[in-house]
Amino acid sequence: MSQPPIFLSKADIARRHIEGLILSRTVKPGDRITTREVSEALGISETPIREAIRSLAAEGWLDVQTHVGAVVASAGSEQFREIYALRGLIGALAIELGASSHGAKRLDEIDANLAASAEAVAAQDIQSYTQLNHEFHILLYDTPHSQWSLRMLVSLSALTSGHYGFTAMPQRMAESLKEHQAIRDAIRAGQFDLAASLVKQHERTAYETLAGTLASGEPSRAESAV
């Protein structure tokens, strides 16, 4: 039986559009997001766009600055170690809290995500893999028992997603996919302690990759992937 269509408000549509711009690196940290440009792109009024911007600012995707407006948020390099460590710790907690929610249906959704991710890696489709990577982490953490963890993780991810993508280091996609598959395998086996440990390692590896590129003194390559 086909799934009923999901209703999206105009604010939801605007939010998804802006998130897509950030995740695909069409806009980068410090770039302005104007209601006029989004309105013209989507053909909707500016009122729901303002609502979407307020929501994204509350979660850390955007900064709203006086006399400037909404700009894509970013963390400084000195904050990255802490951000990735927090992502690992909170992600591991979300896995443990949400263990009972990882039933057959959720596992099927994760499997479908990984299958699509494998196709994106094979095709070197960076934009698709970036979105699938984001969706994979949402599937891990979005459970009735881990909503506060999810909120914090979304905010932490927003601080790096606009600036760091798979474009600069496409080989990281394959490594990231293998790590995702290992996390899935541990969850499927009911080994949630192992899955939590793998999440911590996944975020640690992402940070180490980033730190290595920053230390290399090549700023243009410091856009590492997670």
Side-chain angles (χ1 to χ4, degrees):
M1 187 173 79
S2 61
Q3 295 294 322
I6 299 173
F7 173 76
L8 292 176
S9 68
K10 290 181 179 179
D12 291 331
I13 293 169
R15 178 191 172 92
R16 287 194 175 190
H17 175 76
I18 296 168
E19 284 181 354
L21 293 175
I22 295 171
L23 289 169
S24 65
R25 299 184 67 255
T26 301
V27 293
K28 300 177 183 178
D31 286 352
R32 291 184 64 203
I33 300 290
T34 69
T35 54
R36 179 181 59 79
E37 289 175 345
V38 177
S39 175
E40 290 175 355
L42 298 178
I44 61 178
S45 71
E46 296 187 14
T47 299
I49 298 168
R50 294 189 188 97
E51 180 183 342
I53 286 174
R54 286 194 294 270
S55 173
L56 289 167
E59 292 181 4
W61 292 80
L62 301 173
D63 286 329
V64 178
Q65 302 176 0
T66 306
H67 307 307
V68 175
V71 300
V72 179
S74 176
S77 59
E78 71 281 357
Q79 298 171 305
F80 292 146
R81 180 177 182 181
E82 182 179 7
I83 289 171
Y84 279 96
L86 284 169
R87 282 168 51 161
L89 290 168
I90 300 170
L93 175 63
I95 290 288
E96 293 170 357
L97 292 174
S100 62
S101 296
H102 288 284
K105 183 176 183 296
R106 178 61 60 91
L107 284 167
D108 285 347
E109 292 173 337
I110 292 174
D111 286 344
N113 174 278
L114 293 178
S117 297
E119 291 180 1
V121 170
Q124 287 293 284
D125 185 343
I126 294 169
Q127 184 171 351
S128 292
Y129 188 80
T130 297
Q131 182 62 38
L132 288 162
N133 174 69
H134 176 69
E135 292 170 1
F136 174 80
H137 288 276
I138 298 298
L139 285 169
L140 289 186
Y141 308 138
D142 187 6
T143 79
H145 308 290
S146 55
Q147 287 299 296
W148 278 107
S149 296
L150 175 66
R151 291 181 190 181
M152 288 186 281
L153 287 163
V154 167
S155 295
L156 289 167
S157 294
L159 293 173
T160 56
S161 350
H163 200 58
Y164 302 100
F166 293 99
T167 303
M169 297 185 66
Q171 71 276 15
R172 176 64 186 147
M173 290 194 297
E175 297 167 359
S176 170
L177 175 58
K178 287 179 181 178
E179 293 160 14
H180 289 182
Q181 290 167 335
I183 294 167
R184 182 274 315 273
D185 292 345
I187 291 173
R188 185 176 291 283
Q191 298 177 310
F192 294 101
D193 287 346
L194 174 59
S197 177
L198 290 171
V199 165
K200 291 180 185 177
Q201 183 58 51
H202 178 58
E203 298 294 352
R204 188 178 304 119
T205 300
Y207 168 71
E208 289 171 353
T209 303
L210 170 59
T213 55
L214 289 172
S216 72
E218 299 178 51
S220 64
R221 294 189 64 223
E223 302 168 324
S224 70
V226 295

